[in-house]
Each structure stands twice: as C-alpha cells, then as structure tokens.
C-alpha cells in the first residue's frame, strides 16, 4: 500500500540533515557517491574525499605523487565538483593528504565491535533509507558529528 503523501527520502534528506545542523553531510555523501564521475576512474582509485569543513575538502590520496598531481589540477576539480554536486555547500579549497584509502572508506562504515546503531528509537529517521550503504554512511557521519 502506497501513501499518497509519501515523498522520496532524497527530496527531504537535505532538510532533515539541516535540522540536525549537519547539512554538509548530505553534500559529502553526494560527493562520495559521484566521486568517480567528478574525478575520473583513475583518480577515484587513488584518491577519495574524506571530510569537508569550512569550505575545505580534504581528500586522501595514495601517495605524494598523487597529491602533487592533484594539487596542480585543483581548480579544475573544484569546478567539476560545483558542476556535478552543486554549490549549496561551497568548496573553496581542496587539501590533499597522503593516507590509506582503505581507512578512509572505513571511516564511514561502523566497525564490527560497534553496534550498527544505538538501541531504542531511530531519532535520525534513517531506517527509512533504502540503500544500506547510504544509510550506514549517514549514521556513521551523524555519530562522528555527535562526538561518539
């Protein structure tokens, strides 16, 4: 049975995250999802967005050579981000940091020891998110924003 007043989650996600005072999370999730389109297949295998704070996007890269290469094309990449994901949360600068791409990806997925979500009601309303990867990414980002 379908409710007449039901709306797709994607249409209300930004407002929901803004109510939690974390609108940048929706932007970061969209950015990560579309990263291969923004950066291209080769770059996306060697670099991944990690965080966004005060307009500065931090991207983890595999090694110093990739960091140097991407620094030289930073303005082009900022333009591609604006074209692809929009300018609602503006990216004014990109910081490239060398690190493990595996740990960057794991940052958004809870570890096995951690319960998938705190017991009790679902205050974030994320149980309705159909895509499990997106749901867990949003939950992990929300937990980090609360300092857990």
């Amino acid at each position: 049975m379908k409710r007449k007043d039901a709306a797709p989650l994607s249409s209300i996600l930004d407002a929901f995250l803004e109510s939690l005072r974390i609108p940048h999370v929706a932007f970061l999730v969209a950015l990560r999802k579309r990263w291969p389109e923004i950066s291209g297949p080769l770059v996306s295998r060697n670099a991944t967005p990690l965080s966004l704070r005060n307009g500065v996007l931090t991207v983890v890269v595999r090694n110093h050579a990739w960091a140097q290469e991407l620094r030289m094309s930073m303005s082009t990449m900022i333009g591609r981000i604006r074209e692809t994901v929009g300018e609602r949360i503006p990216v004014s600068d990109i910081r490239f940091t060398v690190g493990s791409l595996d740990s960057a990806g794991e940052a958004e997925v809870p570890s096995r020891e951690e319960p998938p979500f705190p017991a009790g009601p679902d205050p974030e309303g994320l149980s309705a998110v159909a895509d499990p990867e997106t749901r867990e990414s949003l939950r992990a980002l929300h937990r980090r924003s609360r300092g857990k």
Side-chain angles (χ1 to χ4, degrees):
M1 172 160 49
K2 215 174 196 182
R3 290 178 32 172
K4 291 181 182 180
D5 61 342
L9 181 62
S10 60
S11 68
I12 60 171
L13 184 61
D14 289 339
F16 168 71
L17 292 171
E18 200 165 305
S19 74
L20 296 174
R21 296 189 177 156
I22 52 173
H24 63 282
V25 173
F27 182 84
L28 190 58
V29 168
L31 182 66
R32 285 183 178 182
K33 215 169 211 181
R34 299 188 70 186
W35 186 247
E37 178 185 340
I38 292 166
S39 63
L42 181 60
V43 172
S44 69
R45 286 191 302 270
N46 292 285
T48 188
L50 179 65
S51 65
L52 177 67
R53 176 173 249 157
N54 298 326
V56 179
L57 176 66
T58 300
V59 175
V60 175
V61 295
R62 191 170 302 280
N63 55 43
H64 292 283
W66 274 107
Q68 181 62 29
E69 183 68 29
L70 293 176
R71 271 188 208 103
M72 291 188 294
S73 61
M74 184 171 45
S75 60
T76 303
M77 191 170 284
I78 290 173
R80 293 279 299 140
I81 290 169
R82 289 179 181 153
E83 289 171 16
T84 308
V85 188
E87 292 189 56
R88 187 165 164 259
I89 306 287
V91 174
S92 57
D93 194 14
I94 302 177
R95 191 185 90 183
F96 299 98
T97 182
V98 177
S100 170
L101 298 180
D102 294 335
S103 64
E106 290 169 7
E108 66 181 43
V109 178
S111 67
R112 293 203 196 306
E113 297 85 47
E114 184 179 336
F117 200 70
D122 188 11
E124 290 80 19
L126 295 175
S127 61
V129 177
D131 180 37
E133 182 180 336
T134 301
R135 181 177 52 245
E136 290 308 313
S137 294
L138 289 170
R139 284 180 176 163
L141 289 167
H142 178 66
R143 277 193 299 275
R144 282 192 304 191
S145 74
R146 293 187 321 195
K148 288 187 175 183

